[in-house]
Structures are given as C-alpha cells and as structure tokens.
Amino acid sequence: MRNSPAPILVIAATERELATPEGWRTLVCGVGPVDAAGRTAAAIAAERPAAILHVGIAGARVASGLLPPALLIGEAARYCDLEVPESWAPRSVVAPLALLTAARRALPHAPVITIGTSARVGGTIGCDVEAMEGFGVLRAAQLAGVPALEVRAISNHIEEPDRRRWQFDAAFAAITVATPRLVAEFASCIG
C-alpha cells in the first residue's frame, strides 16, 4: 500500500475517453452510476489520489445551444435517478473551488454548468447536459475526502434517437486533447 498520495487520478467510463497518461494514473470505471461509484471507491482506497478528474462524453438538450464537440466544466453533479428527500440522501455534489478555478484556466471558453447523472439516456431533470457516471464518481470522492471535478465533451443531443448521428469520434478527440491541460492545472493547484 502506498504511503503518499498519487498526484491525479483521471477517471472515465470507457478507454476511448481516456488520454494517454503523462504522469497521471487512469481508471476505466465502467458505464453507469453504480459501477462508477464502486470502482472509484476501490481506486481511491488503493491509490490515495490527491485529486480526481472525471472526464467523458455527454449529451446536451437541444435548447441548451451546446453542439458537439463542445467542452464543458461541471460545477456540480446532480443525481437524477434518486427520488427521495434530500435529507435522506444527497443528490448533488458541488465541485471544489480550487479545481473549478483550475479547470477554468485550462478551458477558458468552456461553459460551467451542473451536469445531470442518470442510468438512462433522457433520464435527467432540470439539467441541460447529462451523462451516466458523474455523480457516482464525485460522490465516492466526496465520501473519501478527495477533491474531484467532472469535465465533458458533448457528443449528441439527448433528443436525437438515431445514435448513428451522435458524434462520438469528435467528442472522444475533444476530451482526450483537453485532458493534459486539465491535469497540468490540477497539479498546479494541489501541488
């Protein structure tokens, strides 16, 4: 077991969303909030990272005006599948200010928004952008006391049912190009 924290752990649902590591650790957490939370918690216990950057692709509502492959920074992750009072279980994790500031330096033109998490496409409520793992990753990090932030590249409009029209390749390219800049900024603020 490692005694000192690993610098940055970059987590994505799939291998295609991960940039080639340049001194940082990576984790494929799997698709959906349950696998994401479980694998993140296990990695935190094993690696003890100083910070987590959760990256990936996402869908945006047409009304948001966001087009593929726009990058965006998550100021919070909202779990939209949980329908119990907030006093019973949290449904939102807010990004730490230091990581949010670092992400803004790395991606100065990226919108900063709340990203919804749902286990199904179209399952979010009150969010312009949705993905499937963000809340699981950020909540596991929050419970372990590890600062974490989510950054996404838009691949599609949520309302588009034809997945052949989704722009996966452009979104994968956008997020993997942005990752080294994000990690460098994270390292400067935790370092």
Side-chain angles (χ1 to χ4, degrees), residues 94-187:
V94 176
L97 182 57
L99 294 186
L100 193 55
T101 301
R104 286 179 171 154
R105 283 193 307 267
L107 304 173
H109 302 294
V112 178
I113 64 169
T114 295
I115 302 171
T117 298
S118 179
R120 64 183 175 82
V121 175
T124 59
I125 299 165
C127 298
D128 285 338
V129 173
E130 72 177 18
M132 301 177 86
E133 302 79 27
F135 180 84
V137 170
L138 272 60
R139 180 68 174 140
Q142 182 184 51
L143 288 169
V146 176
L149 179 120
E150 178 179 14
V151 176
R152 296 285 180 168
I154 300 302
S155 61
N156 60 282
H157 284 125
I158 296 165
E159 298 89 349
E160 176 55 67
D162 185 354
R163 293 190 181 188
R164 292 173 298 177
R165 296 179 58 130
W166 292 13
Q167 297 179 35
F168 291 116
D169 291 338
F172 291 140
I175 199 63
T176 58
V177 166
T179 298
R181 291 191 313 252
L182 288 158
V183 171
E185 289 295 339
F186 274 35

Side-chain angles (χ1 to χ4, degrees), residues 43-58:
I44 290 169
E47 299 290 328
R48 298 187 53 231
I52 291 174
L53 170 61
H54 177 47
V55 297
I57 62 172

Side-chain angles (χ1 to χ4, degrees), residues 26-48:
T26 62
L27 172 70
V28 174
C29 68
V31 175
V34 174
D35 278 4
R39 289 185 178 143
T40 298
I44 290 169
E47 299 290 328
R48 298 187 53 231

Side-chain angles (χ1 to χ4, degrees), residues 11-110:
I11 299 177
T14 67
E15 192 71 40
R16 288 194 67 195
E17 293 162 299
L18 288 171
T20 301
E22 298 173 15
W24 63 80
R25 305 281 297 167
T26 62
L27 172 70
V28 174
C29 68
V31 175
V34 174
D35 278 4
R39 289 185 178 143
T40 298
I44 290 169
E47 299 290 328
R48 298 187 53 231
I52 291 174
L53 170 61
H54 177 47
V55 297
I57 62 172
R61 298 200 184 282
V62 171
S64 72
L66 294 167
L67 300 172
L71 292 165
L72 51 97
I73 300 165
E75 66 185 347
R78 182 180 304 144
Y79 190 29
C80 297
D81 293 344
L82 188 62
E83 295 182 10
V84 298
E86 185 79 22
S87 61
W88 291 8
R91 288 183 301 218
S92 186
V93 177
V94 176
L97 182 57
L99 294 186
L100 193 55
T101 301
R104 286 179 171 154
R105 283 193 307 267
L107 304 173
H109 302 294

